[in-house]
Amino acid sequence: MSSSREPRTQGSSGALGLVLGHPFDTVKVRLQTQTTYRGIIDCMVKTYRHESLLGFFKGMSFPIASIAMVNSVLFGVYSNTLLALTATSHRERRAQPPSYIHVFIAGCIGGFVQVYCLAPFDLIKVRLQNQTEPRARPPGSPPPRYRGPVHCAVSIFQEEGPRGLFRGAWALTLRDTPTMGIYFVTYEWLCRQSTRDGQDPSPARVLVAGGFAGIASWAVATPLDVIKSRLQMAGLKRGAYRGVLDCMSSDHRRLTYVDSDTKTIGGNDTPKDDSGLSHFLQTRGDSLRECDLFLA
């Protein structure tokens, strides 16, 4: 595999992709952690009405500032791990591509290492995305908890200690370690299938391969991404969750509660009333949060 075939997202291209995707990420995070929205459209409409278009871009400054560093760590570790596993240079990999096992291992190691650069920035992003106060506040209304990313970082450090900046890091590690391996394997496989031996894929093929690799990896990552976001917000509520397993079991208990709120009529499960169903839709965020929980 040549160097041009490695999916590098550095500098302005990485920042541009983040800017385009951040509004959708804000909606995702709010649906994962809040119960005030009925679904994707409801979240988008309420965010726009209450916070204007700028509400979709809350918490974006730190990710933009850190994306080059995080991606440099990810792809640098991936490339050097692949070099150590195969003992071949980039040019030699064009004629002798690495095995998919080596690609997966290198991707997993890259994903594991990048977590410790990404975790504090991701925590600050999630906390700021969950602030729903409009910029132009009515007189007498309480100010937002955090005035910006630096104030957010300082506040977390003062209130929760240094470990608070890494809240949710275990869930982030469980999310990114295998999914980065899946990402690189999918990307590599698609590039090999669409390119003749000894040649580099065209930019269009790289774009398509990267897109489908992202879909494959996020299909696996989404459930742990939900847990990660809820653990990151749990710092505002002392004792909300004791850890990753406690957060998962709490979600399972809530789902079991909704299931027990049904009765069977004519052999079919039918809700007793609208309260149980409404609770389910609110807690899961309608279609997106159902997808978050059930690997859609």
Side-chain angles (χ1 to χ4, degrees):
M1 182 180 64
S2 68
S3 59
S4 62
R5 288 182 62 179
E6 294 182 10
R8 302 180 182 275
T9 53
Q10 299 176 354
S12 58
S13 60
L16 177 61
L18 192 148
V19 170
L20 294 175
H22 195 80
F24 302 101
D25 186 70
T26 299
V27 174
K28 170 185 71 73
V29 167
R30 291 187 174 187
L31 289 172
Q32 288 173 338
T33 57
Q34 300 183 27
T35 59
T36 57
Y37 306 110
R38 295 191 301 270
I40 301 172
I41 302 301
D42 182 57
C43 180
M44 295 174 68
V45 170
K46 287 181 177 177
T47 300
Y48 179 76
R49 286 179 178 175
H50 191 56
E51 306 166 56
S52 78
L53 191 63
L54 295 176
F56 293 99
F57 294 92
K58 287 183 175 180
M60 190 177 66
S61 56
F62 263 29
I64 285 182
S66 64
I67 188 171
M69 178 190 69
V70 172
N71 282 337
S72 294
V73 170
L74 170 63
F75 292 110
V77 172
Y78 168 78
S79 180
N80 283 284
T81 303
L82 205 56
L83 179 63
L85 290 172
T86 61
T88 56
S89 65
H90 289 304
R91 291 183 179 179
E92 291 172 334
R93 288 180 214 154
R94 181 182 299 179
Q96 188 180 359
S99 68
Y100 291 120
I101 293 177
H102 286 159
V103 171
F104 180 77
I105 293 173
C108 288
I109 295 174
F112 177 82
V113 174
Q114 74 147 1
V115 165
Y116 295 95
C117 300
L118 177 63
F121 299 108
D122 188 69
L123 172 67
I124 293 166
K125 173 188 74 72
V126 169
R127 291 280 180 93
L128 292 174
Q129 284 175 319
N130 273 286
Q131 291 195 145
T132 58
E133 296 86 358
R135 287 182 177 270
R137 301 192 310 276
S141 61
R145 185 182 183 91
Y146 305 117
R147 297 192 298 270
V150 175
H151 180 253
C152 180
V154 172
S155 299
I156 294 172
F157 184 85
Q158 291 176 342
E159 297 170 6
E160 306 173 42
R163 292 181 62 184
L165 290 170
F166 290 88
R167 188 176 295 277
W170 276 115
L172 188 61
T173 302
L174 293 173
R175 186 196 77 176
D176 282 1
T177 300
T179 54
M180 284 297 101
I182 293 170
Y183 177 90
F184 283 108
V185 167
T186 305
Y187 173 85
E188 182 72 18
W189 182 80
L190 289 171
C191 284
R192 291 184 190 180
Q193 295 301 311
S194 61
T195 308
R196 294 181 180 178
D197 292 339
Q199 295 183 355
D200 290 332
S202 66
R205 289 190 174 95
V206 169
L207 180 65
V208 172
F212 279 103
I215 293 173
S217 61
W218 269 104
V220 177
T222 298
L224 279 166
D225 187 62
V226 178
I227 302 301
K228 184 264 309 175
S229 297
R230 293 180 178 176
L231 287 171
Q232 288 171 329
M233 291 304 298
L236 301 177
K237 302 175 182 179
R238 300 290 182 180
Y241 300 113
R242 293 189 299 272
V244 175
L245 293 177
D246 182 57
C247 185
M248 296 173 68
S249 62
S250 296
D251 266 4
H252 176 72
R253 285 194 298 268
R254 280 197 292 267
L255 182 59
T256 304
Y257 166 78
V258 175
D259 289 341
S260 66
D261 196 35
T262 61
K263 64 180 180 179
T264 303
I265 299 178
N268 297 320
D269 287 338
T270 307
K272 293 179 183 177
D273 50 45
D274 289 339
S275 61
L277 181 59
S278 297
H279 176 77
F280 177 78
L281 294 179
Q282 283 184 338
T283 328
R284 300 294 178 256
D286 201 12
S287 58
L288 180 59
R289 271 176 292 183
E290 290 177 31
C291 292
D292 285 341
L293 187 60
F294 295 113
L295 285 175

